[in-house]
């Protein structure tokens, strides 16, 4: 690239120091009007590291580097996520913005800054989150925390002095990281509002770095309408706030354009979607189905029973669509009406069983996943037996079993707890019941078409899913990821099936992005409008070029 010296008035700076004069604003004054930024103190107290057993002298801890200015592309960021698909989507958005700005995403050892996105559902996940913060500080890393833990309990002692990104402020991750690298502390915990109205969160059109480039996770709403007595997530995500259907559909279209072949819809309760904006989950699903390309798939996320009950007929129809997985995650938490009442779950066992029975009768091969909490404070032996009979009746292929954890600030945390040994005993009994049946037994020889999108945890197989979203393990053949193939089941286990590929590679099918469903009238007219503008600009450019040639002759 050639350089040019331009002679402009005032272009007489001899050195960079000449840019700064005594009258210029000072850094502290610059930040006085930024209430969310705490400027670092010039003098820092030296904290002596604790001695380990057998040590006679403390090992000096590495000091984190304070950057006076941040040049994009020169610092590295490590991103770690705990929790649900919603959290994973938030992390992908934050990583995407950092990468777009020029930051390098790296391993934890190489990184200058750790971005830790937390989950508040269980005590163990928060404990691991706290330990990771301490590890980063000991390693001399800058640390930024995000997610439901700091949003729900921002005054926790171990978060003191750390930069915090609230669950609705993920679109400001770049400025938080930049200020943190300079040694400042930034805390952004406000709700996001448009025209005075709380919205679901950051725009869905933000850039992403996906953990799996074939799968797009779309958060369709944030928060919920429940007041469950054991749940801490409500403190962080708040009441229901839904994204407009058009924004979600546009994000899905954008994701397919970027090469995704599977969409996951996620939220704290997909069944409640749209109740705050005059829409509904079935209305959204039918709009999404129109833009899913051939051979691509949609997975509907977790829904609580109360809000899916009124939509069962339409949901059953959507789940039968060839480009929608016949799968639904409906957490019941207990088979006892007494316990469900104490949990304030707003439904009874009969309601949940109606959801399962109705959908199973209408959707061939439907997979229902559910959750159980063992040892809720008011759970009696009879209550637990009712949970056992329900799980034995339905033999759910996916059953997430959790021990009760008292989360600080929740009503259930104030209830008298069941002895820990009894909770463990009940958890073991339910776990033993779950492992007593094989949902895929006898499937050997059956034929399926599967969409291959993942790598197994042991890194030895590719993972495909059939229409029922059942996991099928396949040999790791070149070019197999992102394709639909016909397979024959050769073996089964508790959680998956093994299969051989029947098609030759030339017959493998990929998502046909050239065949999305028909555009709506609005979309068609908008496209014609843009084409018209492009033609007009081209005509003007051609005319100007012609005039230039005539004048230069």
């Amino acid at each position: 690239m050639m350089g040019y010296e331009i002679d402009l008035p005032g272009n007489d700076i001899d050195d960079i120091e000449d840019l700064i004069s005594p009258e210029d604003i000072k850094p502290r004054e610059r930040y006085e009007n930024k209430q969310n930024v705490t400027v670092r103190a010039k003098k820092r107290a030296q904290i002596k590291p604790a001695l380990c057993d057998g040590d006679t002298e403390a090992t000096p801890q590495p000091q984190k580097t304070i950057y006076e200015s941040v040049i994009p592309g020169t610092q590295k960021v490590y991103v770690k996520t705990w929790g649900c698909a919603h959290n994973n989507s938030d992390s992908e958005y934050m990583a995407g913005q950092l990468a777009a700005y020029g930051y390098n995403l790296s391993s934890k050892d190489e990184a200058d800054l750790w971005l830790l996105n937390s989950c508040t559902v269980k005590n163990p996940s928060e404990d691991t989150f706290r330990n990771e913060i301490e590890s980063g500080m000991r390693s001399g890393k800058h640390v930024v925390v995000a997610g439901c833990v700091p949003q729900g309990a921002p005054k926790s002692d171990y978060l003191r002095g750390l930069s915090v990104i609230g669950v609705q402020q993920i679109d400001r991750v770049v400025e938080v990281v930049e200020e943190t690298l300079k040694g400042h502390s930034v805390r952004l915990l406000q709700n996001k509002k448009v025209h005075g109205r709380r919205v679901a969160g950051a725009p869905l059109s933000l850039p992403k770095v996906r953990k799996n480039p074939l799968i797009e996770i779309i958060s369709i709403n944030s928060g919920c309408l429940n007041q469950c007595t054991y749940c801490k997530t409500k403190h962080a995500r708040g009441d229901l706030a839904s994204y407009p259907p058009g924004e979600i559909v546009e994000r899905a279209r954008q994701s397919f354009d970027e090469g995704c072949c599977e969409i996951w819809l996620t939220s704290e309760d997909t069944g409640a979607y749209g109740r705050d904006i005059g829409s509904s989950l079935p209305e959204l699903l039918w709009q999404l189905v129109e833009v899913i390309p051939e051979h691509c798939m949609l997975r509907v996320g977790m829904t609580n029973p109360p809000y899916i009950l009124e939509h069962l007929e339409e949901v059953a129809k959507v789940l039968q669509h060839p480009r929608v997985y016949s799968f639904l995650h409906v957490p019941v938490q207990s088979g006892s009406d007494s316990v469900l009442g104490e949990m304030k779950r707003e439904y009874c066992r009969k309601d949940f069983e109606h959801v399962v029975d109705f959908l199973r009768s209408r959707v061939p091969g439907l997979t229902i996943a559910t959750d159980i909490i063992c040892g809720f404070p008011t759970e009696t032996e009879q209550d637990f037996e009712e949970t056992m009979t329900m799980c034995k009746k339905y033999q759910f292929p996916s059953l997430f079993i959790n021990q009760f954890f008292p989360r600080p600030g929740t009503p259930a945390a104030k209830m008298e707890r069941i002895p820990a040994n009894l909770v463990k005993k009940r958890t073991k009994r339910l776990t033993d019941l779950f492992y007593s049946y094989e949902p895929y037994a006898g499937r050997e020889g059956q034929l399926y078409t599967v969409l291959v999108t993942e790598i197994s945890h042991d890194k030895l197989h590719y993972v495909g899913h059939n229409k029922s979203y059942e996991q099928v393990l396949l040999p790791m053949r070149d070019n197999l990821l992102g394709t639909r193939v016909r397979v024959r089941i050769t073996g089964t286990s508790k959680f998956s099936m093994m299969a051989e590929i029947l098609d030759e590679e030339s017959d493998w099918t990929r998502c046909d992005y050239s065949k999305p469903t028909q555009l709506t009238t609005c979309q068609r007219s908008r496209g014609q409008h843009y084409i018209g503008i492009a033609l007009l600009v081209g005509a003007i450019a051609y005319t100007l070029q012609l005039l230039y040639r005539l004048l230069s002759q």
Side-chain angles (χ1 to χ4, degrees), residues 451-513:
L451 177 59
V452 187
T453 56
E454 300 178 71
I455 300 174
S456 62
H457 293 299
D458 60 10
K459 313 297 184 189
L460 298 177
H461 303 88
Y462 283 145
V463 179
H465 293 92
N466 61 12
K467 178 68 166 68
S468 301
Y469 202 69
E470 295 168 329
Q471 186 171 260
V472 179
L473 304 181
L474 299 169
M476 299 184 76
R477 299 265 299 273
D478 291 341
N479 305 318
L480 185 60
L481 278 175
T483 67
R484 284 175 69 95
V485 294
R486 292 187 310 121
V487 301
R488 178 187 291 115
I489 303 303
T490 59
T492 65
S493 66
K494 173 64 179 175
F495 297 101
S496 61
M497 294 174 277
M498 285 69 74
E500 60 181 354
I501 301 170
L502 299 179
D503 297 326
E504 296 295 330
E505 184 172 346
S506 58
D507 296 322
W508 299 350
T509 54
R510 294 188 176 273
C511 291
D512 190 351
Y513 302 109

Side-chain angles (χ1 to χ4, degrees), residues 168-187:
Q168 290 210 321
Q169 299 291 333
I170 61 172
D171 54 336
R172 299 178 66 183
V173 62
V174 169
E175 64 179 282
V176 174
V177 166
E178 188 174 69
E179 295 300 332
T180 303
L181 287 167
K182 294 176 183 178
H184 306 153
S185 176
V186 188
R187 298 172 77 86

Side-chain angles (χ1 to χ4, degrees), residues 313-536:
E313 192 75 49
E314 285 300 302
V315 168
K317 291 178 182 177
V318 174
L319 294 179
Q320 294 177 64
H321 192 281
R323 294 194 290 276
V324 179
Y325 285 118
S326 301
F327 169 87
L328 203 60
H329 179 195
V330 189
V332 62
Q333 307 300 4
S334 175
S336 163
D337 286 348
S338 173
V339 173
L340 291 173
E342 294 291 342
M343 290 178 170
K344 291 192 175 180
R345 290 290 288 170
E346 300 184 16
Y347 59 87
C348 61
R349 173 173 173 164
K350 185 178 179 181
D351 293 329
F352 172 77
E353 292 191 341
H354 175 62
V355 170
V356 177
D357 294 339
F358 183 92
L359 292 178
R360 280 188 172 181
S361 68
R362 302 296 179 91
V363 184
L366 176 70
T367 296
I368 294 278
T370 195
D371 303 2
I372 297 291
I373 295 175
C374 291
F376 188 79
T378 64
E379 183 183 70
T380 64
E381 198 62 37
Q382 179 59 37
D383 293 327
F384 180 69
E385 289 300 328
E386 291 177 14
T387 296
M388 290 286 289
T389 58
M390 182 186 65
C391 292
K392 188 174 182 179
K393 174 182 177 181
Y394 288 105
Q395 296 194 349
F396 301 103
S398 294
L399 180 61
F400 303 99
I401 304 169
N402 303 289
Q403 293 184 30
F404 169 76
F405 288 103
R407 302 299 290 131
T410 62
K414 301 176 183 178
M415 300 178 182
E416 185 178 352
R417 296 183 63 184
I418 296 172
N421 63 328
L422 187 55
V423 176
K424 291 180 180 178
K425 181 180 177 181
R426 291 176 182 175
T427 304
K428 185 179 185 305
R429 282 189 60 200
L430 185 56
T431 302
D432 289 343
L433 171 63
F434 175 59
Y435 279 92
S436 69
Y437 56 87
E438 296 279 344
Y440 308 126
R443 300 275 194 99
E444 289 84 356
Q446 291 195 16
L447 306 181
Y448 295 108
T449 298
V450 300
L451 177 59
V452 187
T453 56
E454 300 178 71
I455 300 174
S456 62
H457 293 299
D458 60 10
K459 313 297 184 189
L460 298 177
H461 303 88
Y462 283 145
V463 179
H465 293 92
N466 61 12
K467 178 68 166 68
S468 301
Y469 202 69
E470 295 168 329
Q471 186 171 260
V472 179
L473 304 181
L474 299 169
M476 299 184 76
R477 299 265 299 273
D478 291 341
N479 305 318
L480 185 60
L481 278 175
T483 67
R484 284 175 69 95
V485 294
R486 292 187 310 121
V487 301
R488 178 187 291 115
I489 303 303
T490 59
T492 65
S493 66
K494 173 64 179 175
F495 297 101
S496 61
M497 294 174 277
M498 285 69 74
E500 60 181 354
I501 301 170
L502 299 179
D503 297 326
E504 296 295 330
E505 184 172 346
S506 58
D507 296 322
W508 299 350
T509 54
R510 294 188 176 273
C511 291
D512 190 351
Y513 302 109
S514 65
K515 292 183 180 178
T517 46
Q518 295 181 354
L519 297 176
T520 63
T521 303
C522 175
Q523 292 164 340
R524 197 160 36 238
S525 62
R526 182 174 60 183
Q528 292 169 350
H529 173 69
Y530 289 149
I531 292 172
I533 292 175
L535 290 173
L536 178 62

Side-chain angles (χ1 to χ4, degrees), residues 30 49 65 103 110 116 196 202 270 310 335 368 377 404 476 489 516 528:
R30 184 185 302 121
T65 304
Y103 287 102
E110 296 177 346
L116 307 177
T270 59
E310 65 188 79
I368 294 278
F404 169 76
M476 299 184 76
I489 303 303
Q528 292 169 350

Side-chain angles (χ1 to χ4, degrees), residues 108-354:
K108 63 194 305 184
D109 293 332
E110 296 177 346
D112 302 288
L113 180 144
W114 290 4
L115 172 56
L116 307 177
N117 192 7
S118 61
C119 172
T120 192
V121 171
K122 302 177 188 177
N123 292 7
S125 60
E126 181 172 349
D127 292 342
T128 307
F129 170 63
R130 184 191 297 113
N131 292 339
E132 196 75 350
I133 291 173
E134 295 171 355
S135 174
M137 302 296 283
R138 285 196 305 270
S139 302
K141 309 293 185 182
H142 295 274
V143 176
V144 174
V145 295
C148 292
V149 170
Q151 183 74 53
K155 296 182 179 179
S156 299
D157 288 341
Y158 68 93
L159 299 177
R160 191 174 300 163
L162 295 178
S163 290
V164 177
I165 303 173
V167 296
Q168 290 210 321
Q169 299 291 333
I170 61 172
D171 54 336
R172 299 178 66 183
V173 62
V174 169
E175 64 179 282
V176 174
V177 166
E178 188 174 69
E179 295 300 332
T180 303
L181 287 167
K182 294 176 183 178
H184 306 153
S185 176
V186 188
R187 298 172 77 86
L188 302 177
L189 294 164
Q190 307 92 328
N191 284 325
K192 195 169 290 296
K193 295 184 178 181
V194 175
H195 305 305
R197 178 187 175 91
R198 178 175 174 266
V199 295
L204 295 179
S205 57
L206 292 171
K208 261 192 176 186
V209 173
R210 298 180 181 91
K211 184 178 179 181
N212 185 334
L214 298 175
I215 298 175
E216 166 69 4
I217 306 171
I218 303 180
S219 303
I220 62 174
N221 57 267
S222 182
C224 68
L225 295 172
N226 293 345
Q227 296 287 343
C228 299
T229 56
Y230 58 84
C231 182
K232 184 75 172 179
T233 305
K234 178 77 172 186
H235 295 200
R237 297 284 182 178
D239 292 327
L240 178 70
S242 304
Y243 283 101
E247 185 174 357
I248 297 168
V249 171
E250 191 56 40
R251 179 67 202 190
R253 193 192 307 277
Q254 176 186 344
S255 303
F256 290 126
D257 289 343
E258 293 172 357
C260 292
C261 56
E262 191 167 288
I263 296 285
W264 293 0
L265 301 185
T266 184
S267 76
E268 284 64 57
D269 187 354
T270 59
Y273 170 80
R275 294 172 77 94
D276 58 320
I277 58 172
S279 185
S280 68
L281 179 63
E283 180 181 323
L284 171 66
L285 294 177
W286 286 123
Q287 291 186 44
L288 283 168
V289 162
E290 291 184 356
V291 301
I292 303 173
E294 194 71 27
H295 310 307
C296 295
M297 295 297 288
L298 171 71
R299 192 189 82 174
V300 182
M302 186 271 288
T303 174
N304 286 310
Y307 306 107
I308 200 71
L309 280 166
E310 65 188 79
H311 302 308
L312 285 179
E313 192 75 49
E314 285 300 302
V315 168
K317 291 178 182 177
V318 174
L319 294 179
Q320 294 177 64
H321 192 281
R323 294 194 290 276
V324 179
Y325 285 118
S326 301
F327 169 87
L328 203 60
H329 179 195
V330 189
V332 62
Q333 307 300 4
S334 175
S336 163
D337 286 348
S338 173
V339 173
L340 291 173
E342 294 291 342
M343 290 178 170
K344 291 192 175 180
R345 290 290 288 170
E346 300 184 16
Y347 59 87
C348 61
R349 173 173 173 164
K350 185 178 179 181
D351 293 329
F352 172 77
E353 292 191 341
H354 175 62

